[in-house]
């Protein structure tokens, strides 16, 4: 799923090249959608195969025999899932920044750019080679590859954005669009909420139902934000439109710091509520 997300985000310049103007905005929209979908499935699969499988196989009893509460176990599982998702999202974010630096096919031939494609290929190649070498020494290949991609792709993105078209050096944050950065952060917060939903559901439901519930939460959250805001039903479903601001970016809108802060506080509140529900469900689950 990590490599799939990198590939899909990486080819977004090809897809956005078919737009009639505003290719970069469409590139961002396609990439953010890819990050959301890949993060959703990665988080759901991880949650379903983590705590849910341990409950069904009764292996969770090994943890519960120790002096730790079930809430601590649940929070520990979520912390691990959130860390894994953050590492994956860093790789996808860096790939999006590399794609923006490379720009679309049409724009690439207008202005000389840094050799972004070669930097990206080199970053992934180094990550794969090191992960394969670590696997031969007994380490986990997926875990090592995930960490390697995050490090090498972020480094490649920093190098690419430090390379001005005339070959001079510049500070990356002086030319990066802060709107894109904030949009990626908010998408990641949405993925964390959906992962928390999957983790809470995995305490009671099998893996297919857990994944289906996470997907339904995403769809309902988007519908609530678009159609039913302010109605009775909207009180019981998180309005994920608060974290999806890609539509505003396409229309040329700006993201203020206050908007990001309030959206992040809302995401933290929803995340706390979902994890509290998961802790309550897990506390009443018979695992013996």
């Amino acid at each position: 799923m990590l490599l799939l997300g990198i590939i899909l985000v990486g080819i977004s310049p090809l897809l956005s090249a078919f737009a009639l103007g505003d290719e970069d905005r469409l590139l961002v929209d396609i990439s953010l959608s890819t990050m959301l979908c890949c993060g959703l499935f990665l988080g759901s699969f991880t949650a379903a195969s983590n705590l849910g499988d341990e409950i069904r196989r009764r292996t969770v009893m090994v943890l519960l025999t120790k002096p730790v509460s079930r809430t601590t176990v649940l929070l520990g599982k979520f912390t691990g899932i959130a860390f894994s998702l953050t590492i994956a999202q860093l790789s996808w974010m860096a790939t999006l920044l590399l794609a923006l630096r490379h720009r679309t096919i049409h724009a690439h031939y207008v202005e000389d750019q840094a050799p972004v494609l070669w930097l990206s290929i080199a970053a992934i190649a180094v990550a794969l080679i090191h992960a394969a070498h670590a696997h031969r020494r007994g380490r986990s290949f997926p875990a090592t590859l995930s960490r390697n991609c995050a490090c090498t792709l972020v480094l490649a993105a920093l190098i690419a954005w430090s390379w001005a078209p005339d070959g001079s050096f510049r500070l990356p944050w002086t030319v990066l669009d802060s709107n894109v950065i904030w949009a990626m952060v908010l998408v990641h917060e949405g993925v964390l909420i959906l992962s928390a939903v999957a983790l809470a559901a995995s305490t009671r439901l099998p893996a297919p139902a857990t994944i289906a519930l996470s997907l339904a939460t995403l769809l309902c959250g988007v519908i609530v934000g678009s159609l039913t805001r302010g109605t009775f039903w909207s009180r019981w479903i998180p309005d994920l439109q608060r974290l999806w601001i890609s539509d505003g970016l396409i229309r040329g809108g700006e993201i203020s710091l206050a908007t990001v802060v309030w959206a992040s506080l809302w995401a933290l509140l929803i995340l706390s509520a979902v994890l509290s529900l998961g802790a309550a469900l897990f506390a009443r689950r018979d695992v013996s």
Side-chain angles (χ1 to χ4, degrees):
M1 187 62 70
L2 171 68
L3 292 178
L4 177 62
I6 292 175
I7 293 172
L8 291 177
V9 175
I11 65 174
S12 55
L14 297 175
L15 302 177
S16 60
F18 293 98
L20 299 177
D22 294 333
E23 291 93 346
D24 287 345
R25 293 178 181 175
L26 183 59
L27 187 157
V28 172
D29 184 64
I30 294 174
S31 299
L32 291 177
S33 300
T34 301
M35 292 167 59
L36 178 61
C37 293
C38 290
L40 165 66
F41 285 105
L42 180 61
S44 299
F45 276 114
T46 304
S49 61
N50 198 327
L51 183 59
D53 281 354
E54 289 186 5
I55 292 176
R56 284 182 288 275
R57 296 174 182 174
R58 303 293 191 267
T59 54
V60 73
M61 290 298 298
V62 177
L63 291 175
L64 298 181
T65 55
K66 299 180 180 180
V68 292
S69 64
R70 295 194 178 194
T71 301
T72 302
V73 172
L74 182 79
L75 293 178
K77 295 291 185 182
F78 177 75
T79 301
I81 294 172
F83 179 77
S84 300
L85 286 174
T86 301
I87 295 297
Q89 289 282 359
L90 280 175
S91 300
W92 299 333
M93 291 176 183
T95 305
L96 172 55
L97 293 179
L98 287 167
L100 286 173
R101 183 65 178 86
H102 184 273
R103 305 181 68 187
T104 59
I105 297 299
H106 294 162
H108 182 69
Y109 289 108
V110 175
E111 180 183 359
D112 290 335
Q113 299 291 330
V116 179
L117 183 60
W118 295 112
L119 280 173
S120 305
I121 293 175
I124 296 176
V126 169
L128 286 170
I129 293 173
H130 182 268
H133 180 67
H135 180 67
R136 293 185 59 185
R137 294 185 295 174
R139 297 182 183 177
S140 172
F141 180 81
T144 306
L145 179 62
S146 180
R147 292 193 299 268
N148 289 351
C149 284
C151 295
T152 56
L153 286 173
V154 168
L155 179 60
L158 290 175
I159 294 175
W161 280 97
S162 300
W163 191 330
D166 59 0
S168 61
F169 174 81
R170 63 186 179 186
L171 296 176
W173 47 87
T174 60
V175 290
L176 282 173
D177 187 359
S178 61
N179 293 319
V180 177
I181 303 297
W182 294 133
M184 292 190 293
V185 170
L186 293 180
V187 165
H188 181 50
E189 292 175 359
V191 169
L192 291 180
I193 291 176
L194 295 172
S195 301
V197 170
L199 184 64
S202 68
T203 61
R204 297 283 179 158
L205 300 177
T210 296
I211 297 171
L213 181 61
S214 299
L215 182 59
T217 302
L218 172 62
L219 296 178
C220 292
V222 173
I223 293 174
V224 165
S226 302
L227 302 177
T228 62
R229 181 174 295 175
T231 63
F232 171 78
W233 299 106
S234 64
R235 301 175 184 177
W236 304 99
I237 302 175
D239 181 7
L240 296 180
Q241 278 289 117
R242 298 175 185 269
L243 304 176
W244 182 255
I245 54 179
S246 177
D247 297 337
L249 293 181
I250 291 180
R251 292 191 292 266
E254 297 288 332
I255 305 174
S256 64
L257 181 60
T259 300
V260 176
V261 171
W262 282 111
S264 299
L265 290 176
W266 176 86
L268 180 61
L269 179 63
I270 296 298
L271 192 60
S272 301
V274 173
L275 290 176
S276 298
L277 176 61
L281 292 173
F282 187 33
R284 292 169 174 78
R285 175 65 188 269
D286 183 14
V287 296
S288 59

